[in-house]
Amino acid sequence: MIEVGIVMGSNSDWEVMRHAASMLKRFGIACETRVVSAHRTPDLLFQYAEEAAPRGLKAIIAGAGGAAHLPGMLAAKTPVPVLGVPVPSRYLRGEDSLLSIVQMPKGIPVATFAIGEAGAANAALFAVAMLAAARPELAEQLVAFRREQEQTVLAMTLPEVE
C-alpha cells in the first residue's frame, strides 16, 4: 500500500526530490511520485489533495521552487500532513521558495524543511518518524539509522596539522 506521496511542480524538481524517494525506499516505505503543478494543473492539484486521505496516504512530501504554492495549496485541500521542500530556483537559490512555503497562515500548517537535497531527505525521514509512531518495526529501523549516522561521525578523522 502506498503511504507517502511525493509531488513536485515540474520534472526539473526531480533532481532534488529523488532524495526523498530514495530515503523512503531505504526504509521500505511505498511511495508514489508525480508532477502536480499548482499553477499549470490546479484541477489535478485539487483532485490529488482531495483523494489523498481516501487512498490511504499518510503524508505528502511536496517540492516546489519559485513561488512555491504547491505545498500550501495541497495543505489547504487535504487533512493529510504536507511536508514542504523548497527547491532551489535559478535566481534566488531557493530562498524565495523557502519563504513562500514556511509563511503559511495560521490554521493551514505545512512542515517546512531545508532548501534542496537535505530538505528532501529530511522530509522523508520526518515521514518515517510519523509512521514509526504506530509501527514498532519502523521505529527500530529509524533508531538503527540514527546509530549508523552516529557511527559515521565517530569514525571520522582529521588530517594532522602541518
Side-chain angles (χ1 to χ4, degrees), residues 5 24 31-32 47 63 65 83 97 117 120 140 156:
L24 291 173
C31 68
E32 63 186 17
Q47 178 185 5
L83 316 177
S97 310
E117 294 89 351
E140 288 174 20
M156 289 179 181

mmCIF file of all heavy atoms in Angstrom, residues 5 24 31-32 47 63 65 83 97 117 120 140 156:
data_model
loop_
_atom_site.group_PDB
_atom_site.id
_atom_site.type_symbol
_atom_site.label_atom_id
_atom_site.label_comp_id
_atom_site.label_asym_id
_atom_site.label_seq_id
_atom_site.Cartn_x
_atom_site.Cartn_y
_atom_site.Cartn_z
ATOM 1 N N GLY A 5 2.987 10.234 -0.629
ATOM 2 C CA GLY A 5 3.027 10.810 -1.960
ATOM 3 C C GLY A 5 4.160 11.812 -2.037
ATOM 4 O O GLY A 5 4.381 12.567 -1.090
ATOM 5 N N LEU A 24 12.859 7.025 1.527
ATOM 6 C CA LEU A 24 11.693 6.199 1.841
ATOM 7 C C LEU A 24 11.933 4.752 1.421
ATOM 8 O O LEU A 24 11.577 3.819 2.152
ATOM 9 C CB LEU A 24 10.443 6.755 1.163
ATOM 10 C CG LEU A 24 9.939 8.090 1.706
ATOM 11 C CD1 LEU A 24 8.809 8.629 0.841
ATOM 12 C CD2 LEU A 24 9.496 7.971 3.160
ATOM 13 N N CYS A 31 5.987 4.560 -1.876
ATOM 14 C CA CYS A 31 5.609 5.930 -2.197
ATOM 15 C C CYS A 31 5.293 6.034 -3.687
ATOM 16 O O CYS A 31 5.646 5.158 -4.476
ATOM 17 C CB CYS A 31 6.712 6.918 -1.815
ATOM 18 S SG CYS A 31 8.221 6.800 -2.802
ATOM 19 N N GLU A 32 4.612 7.101 -4.024
ATOM 20 C CA GLU A 32 4.349 7.415 -5.422
ATOM 21 C C GLU A 32 4.978 8.757 -5.714
ATOM 22 O O GLU A 32 5.134 9.588 -4.812
ATOM 23 C CB GLU A 32 2.848 7.452 -5.701
ATOM 24 C CG GLU A 32 2.119 8.544 -4.929
ATOM 25 C CD GLU A 32 0.608 8.477 -5.101
ATOM 26 O OE1 GLU A 32 0.090 7.436 -5.538
ATOM 27 O OE2 GLU A 32 -0.054 9.478 -4.771
ATOM 28 N N GLN A 47 -7.668 17.578 -7.112
ATOM 29 C CA GLN A 47 -8.059 16.166 -7.152
ATOM 30 C C GLN A 47 -7.085 15.325 -6.329
ATOM 31 O O GLN A 47 -7.501 14.478 -5.530
ATOM 32 C CB GLN A 47 -8.101 15.676 -8.602
ATOM 33 C CG GLN A 47 -8.455 14.212 -8.727
ATOM 34 C CD GLN A 47 -8.383 13.708 -10.167
ATOM 35 O OE1 GLN A 47 -7.982 14.427 -11.080
ATOM 36 N NE2 GLN A 47 -8.759 12.466 -10.357
ATOM 37 N N GLY A 63 7.565 19.212 -3.163
ATOM 38 C CA GLY A 63 8.701 20.054 -3.503
ATOM 39 C C GLY A 63 8.279 21.106 -4.505
ATOM 40 O O GLY A 63 7.551 20.812 -5.460
ATOM 41 N N GLY A 65 9.580 25.105 -6.321
ATOM 42 C CA GLY A 65 10.528 26.212 -6.450
ATOM 43 C C GLY A 65 9.787 27.488 -6.807
ATOM 44 O O GLY A 65 8.584 27.494 -7.053
ATOM 45 N N LEU A 83 4.491 17.977 3.887
ATOM 46 C CA LEU A 83 5.869 18.297 4.236
ATOM 47 C C LEU A 83 6.466 19.035 3.046
ATOM 48 O O LEU A 83 6.623 18.455 1.974
ATOM 49 C CB LEU A 83 6.651 17.013 4.544
ATOM 50 C CG LEU A 83 5.916 15.987 5.437
ATOM 51 C CD1 LEU A 83 6.746 14.741 5.607
ATOM 52 C CD2 LEU A 83 5.553 16.595 6.768
ATOM 53 N N SER A 97 11.491 30.244 -2.442
ATOM 54 C CA SER A 97 10.675 29.048 -2.217
ATOM 55 C C SER A 97 10.522 28.778 -0.719
ATOM 56 O O SER A 97 9.416 28.482 -0.239
ATOM 57 C CB SER A 97 11.326 27.833 -2.874
ATOM 58 O OG SER A 97 11.667 28.111 -4.201
ATOM 59 N N GLU A 117 18.434 19.141 -1.492
ATOM 60 C CA GLU A 117 18.532 17.703 -1.247
ATOM 61 C C GLU A 117 18.406 17.333 0.226
ATOM 62 O O GLU A 117 17.734 16.356 0.567
ATOM 63 C CB GLU A 117 19.854 17.139 -1.790
ATOM 64 C CG GLU A 117 19.978 17.184 -3.296
ATOM 65 C CD GLU A 117 20.582 18.498 -3.813
ATOM 66 O OE1 GLU A 117 20.764 19.461 -3.019
ATOM 67 O OE2 GLU A 117 20.861 18.558 -5.013
ATOM 68 N N ALA A 120 14.798 17.459 1.200
ATOM 69 C CA ALA A 120 14.033 16.331 0.658
ATOM 70 C C ALA A 120 14.277 15.070 1.484
ATOM 71 O O ALA A 120 13.330 14.361 1.849
ATOM 72 C CB ALA A 120 14.394 16.103 -0.810
ATOM 73 N N GLU A 140 12.242 0.831 15.092
ATOM 74 C CA GLU A 140 13.538 0.166 15.268
ATOM 75 C C GLU A 140 14.481 0.479 14.112
ATOM 76 O O GLU A 140 15.677 0.703 14.323
ATOM 77 C CB GLU A 140 13.338 -1.351 15.380
ATOM 78 C CG GLU A 140 12.713 -1.787 16.685
ATOM 79 C CD GLU A 140 12.387 -3.279 16.704
ATOM 80 O OE1 GLU A 140 12.966 -4.046 15.901
ATOM 81 O OE2 GLU A 140 11.538 -3.676 17.529
ATOM 82 N N MET A 156 35.036 9.431 11.911
ATOM 83 C CA MET A 156 35.719 10.485 11.140
ATOM 84 C C MET A 156 37.045 10.867 11.777
ATOM 85 O O MET A 156 37.162 10.920 13.001
ATOM 86 C CB MET A 156 34.832 11.721 11.030
ATOM 87 C CG MET A 156 33.650 11.540 10.146
ATOM 88 S SD MET A 156 32.666 13.070 10.123
ATOM 89 C CE MET A 156 31.348 12.531 9.040
#
